[in-house]
Amino acid sequence: MNKAPLFFLLLVSTPLTFAQTATPTEVEAVYPAAHELYLDIHQHPELSSHETRTATMLADKLRGLGYEVTEHVGGTGIVAILKNGSGPTVMLRTELDALPVEEKTGLPYASKVRATDDAGHEVPVSHACGHDLHMAAMYGTAVIMAQSKNSWHGTLMLIGQPAEETVAGARAMLADGLFTRFPKPDYAIAVHVTNELPAGIIGIVPGVLTTAADSLRVTIYGKGGHGAAPNTTIDPIVIAARTIVTLQTIVSREVKPGEMAVVTVGYIRAGTKNNIIPNEAEMGLTVRTYNPQIRKQVLTAIERIVKAEAAAGAVPRGPLIEHYESTDTVYNDPALAERLRPVLETALGKQNVEKTGPISFSEDFSYFVDAGVPSLFMRLGGADPAKLAEANRTNVPLPSNHSSYFAPDVEPSLRGAIEAEVSVLQNLLNGKQSSSMQR
Ligand SMILES: [Zn+2]
Ligand SMILES: [Zn+2]
């Protein structure tokens, strides 16, 4: 279903109380190019840290608009700066990477790409998280901002961040001087598409938006041998199985009811053959929390249980616990959220801006916030409203991000993202902001 005419109507029927906002005509004018870019990126997805074509293409396009573009920042990252007199520096971030997921949406422009991952396996690749939409929106926003320099002043900083899905890219860009070689922004913004909200709607979450995520790899060392002579072995599979079951008691028995905590064992790897007891077993865990104290409590409990279960199994050597990835919660500055909410309501219509609760996903955008930049990370509705209503009625959720079937309703989502980004940027980069706030 095409909801563009309705969206257009909502925009024009809304009284424009702020001067600085993208007009429907501006969005209309840029939409075909943004959509074309979307289709291109969607059909050429690249895995985390390998976004070379994507980065080059986006860099060339932004350079063509007059932005000063630096490539290879923290790997394949790009930084595009547009200076427009004195004033604040505001950063808009998009991710560049896709996922090792086979697209099964059946769309005419579905990805057929396959690539070799870092472990040497051939994998299907697709933009199952919607980062292609974020890039297309950034491009549309970049065009409007370059064409409307008389309505804002300061420094606009657009960044294309690699490797969000491996939570490595934000850290790599910062380590490569993102906030020292380039101006440190006064504010940062980003959007992420979700099937939990109707297409084109902006969801605002003041305060904690996403969970902290911790990735752990646990190796339990046993003593291998013949499957028919278990008495001569120390079976790491049995110890791993017991460990997994005990780990389930952390959330159910140790964490205070009502506090958010997730402990998931996403894989277990051990053994080669049914009649051989292997030497070791490996498990991969993901831990999600909102509260730093709970995070510490859960991580400490995991370590205690893993060690204790191994000791109970009389292992020849203590288990190895590797904490190989982590990211903090994304914290939306409440004052900034409060300031930008009426701006978004004016631009998109009050009914298209929703205050929503935090989500159980994670994001390495947290590194920019932790570097001391007040930020607003907006949720962008991507679901066909009719399908979402049906999903809510039947309690069968729509395919989430990372699903093979994830397919945002492109037109309203992309228009909504551009409209939201431009209105927020123009407000933050407008000297009249204080008078607007005093209304
Ligand atoms: Zn993702
Ligand atoms: Zn994502």
Side-chain angles (χ1 to χ4, degrees):
M1 196 178 100
N2 181 345
K3 281 156 300 301
L6 174 62
F7 185 73
F8 191 83
L9 267 179
L10 291 172
L11 285 172
V12 278
S13 64
T14 308
L16 294 175
T17 42
F18 293 88
Q20 65 276 24
T21 188
T23 66
T25 325
E26 281 175 312
V27 178
E28 202 60 37
V30 80
Y31 183 78
H35 186 241
E36 192 186 327
L37 183 67
Y38 172 79
L39 295 178
D40 187 325
I41 297 173
H42 189 90
Q43 292 172 88
H44 298 94
E46 294 174 301
L47 290 172
S48 302
S49 303
H50 299 276
E51 312 90 337
T52 46
R53 179 190 185 272
T54 311
T56 306
M57 186 166 70
L58 200 56
D60 287 348
K61 290 223 170 247
L62 295 173
R63 208 172 271 127
L65 296 172
Y67 288 73
E68 200 180 300
V69 181
T70 308
E71 293 178 69
H72 310 294
V73 181
T76 55
I78 62 169
V79 179
I81 305 265
L82 189 62
K83 288 193 180 126
N84 188 23
S86 61
T89 298
V90 183
M91 181 175 100
L92 168 64
R93 175 268 216 166
T94 179
E95 320 86 327
L96 301 173
D97 55 339
L99 285 161
V101 169
E102 184 176 0
E103 180 164 356
K104 293 181 181 169
T105 58
L107 289 164
Y109 53 87
S111 166
K112 297 183 185 71
V113 171
R114 299 185 76 81
T116 306
D117 70 10
D118 290 337
H121 304 122
E122 199 201 278
V123 291
V125 190
S126 70
H127 269 295
C129 203
H131 299 173
D132 46 355
L133 200 126
H134 308 161
M135 285 182 255
M138 176 187 272
Y139 173 68
T141 297
V143 172
I144 297 177
M145 292 303 287
Q147 288 171 352
S148 62
K149 281 172 93 173
N150 57 351
S151 67
W152 60 275
H153 53 86
T155 301
L156 174 58
M157 179 175 176
L158 307 179
I159 69 161
Q161 183 211 303
E164 187 281 324
E165 296 292 357
T166 52
V167 295
R171 208 170 8 173
M173 288 190 86
L174 287 168
D176 199 9
L178 180 64
F179 292 165
T180 49
R181 286 162 61 197
F182 307 94
K184 183 173 174 183
D186 297 290
Y187 303 104
I189 64 161
V191 297
H192 205 302
V193 66
T194 168
N195 256 349
E196 291 172 11
L197 292 172
I201 296 237
I202 292 291
I204 297 185
V205 185
V208 172
L209 167 72
T210 64
T211 59
D214 293 279
S215 302
L216 305 175
R217 186 164 41 232
V218 173
T219 310
I220 293 161
Y221 300 102
K223 188 176 148 210
H226 202 294
N231 55 305
T232 67
T233 73
I234 291 168
D235 189 344
I237 293 182
V238 173
I239 299 170
R242 226 164 29 209
T243 305
I244 292 167
V245 173
T246 312
L247 288 173
Q248 306 311 309
T249 63
I250 297 174
V251 175
S252 69
R253 304 289 83 185
E254 296 191 31
V255 171
K256 189 178 172 196
E259 289 284 355
M260 195 285 186
V262 175
V263 176
T264 291
V265 178
Y267 75 84
I268 168 162
R269 259 184 226 133
T272 51
K273 196 171 181 298
N274 65 324
N275 62 355
I276 301 172
I277 292 170
N279 284 314
E280 55 189 64
E282 185 187 302
M283 308 183 270
L285 278 70
T286 189
V287 177
R288 306 296 169 105
T289 48
Y290 289 138
N291 177 328
Q293 258 108 43
I294 303 292
R295 183 182 186 185
K296 202 167 152 211
Q297 184 195 1
V298 171
L299 292 173
T300 308
I302 289 172
E303 190 179 333
R304 189 192 74 235
I305 288 168
V306 167
K307 284 183 177 165
E309 288 294 355
V315 293
R317 179 181 157 198
L320 175 67
I321 304 173
E322 295 163 280
H323 192 174
Y324 67 96
E325 274 173 3
S326 75
T327 184
D328 214 344
T329 53
V330 170
Y331 186 76
N332 278 333
D333 186 89
L336 189 63
E338 206 43 54
R339 166 178 168 181
L340 294 175
R341 195 168 132 176
V343 175
L344 287 159
E345 285 176 352
T346 303
L348 285 97
K350 213 170 175 141
Q351 68 284 15
N352 292 324
V353 182
E354 255 181 44
K355 198 168 161 183
T356 74
I359 53 178
S360 70
F361 298 103
S362 298
E363 250 291 343
D364 68 354
F365 187 82
S366 58
Y367 284 93
F368 305 129
V369 183
D370 289 352
V373 182
S375 302
L376 182 67
F377 192 111
M378 296 173 274
R379 303 183 74 199
L380 168 70
D384 179 313
K387 287 185 188 160
L388 183 61
E390 179 66 5
N392 289 338
R393 195 183 63 77
T394 57
N395 235 346
V396 180
L398 291 175
S400 61
N401 300 62
H402 292 203
S403 155
S404 286
Y405 299 94
F406 180 73
D409 193 358
V410 178
E411 190 164 345
S413 318
L414 186 49
R415 283 174 196 269
I418 297 170
E419 185 71 29
E421 288 174 358
V422 171
S423 59
V424 163
L425 289 173
Q426 291 196 342
N427 178 275
L428 294 174
L429 288 162
N430 198 301
K432 290 179 207 147
Q433 67 201 28
S434 52
S435 60
S436 301
M437 284 180 74
Q438 282 159 7
R439 288 170 63 246

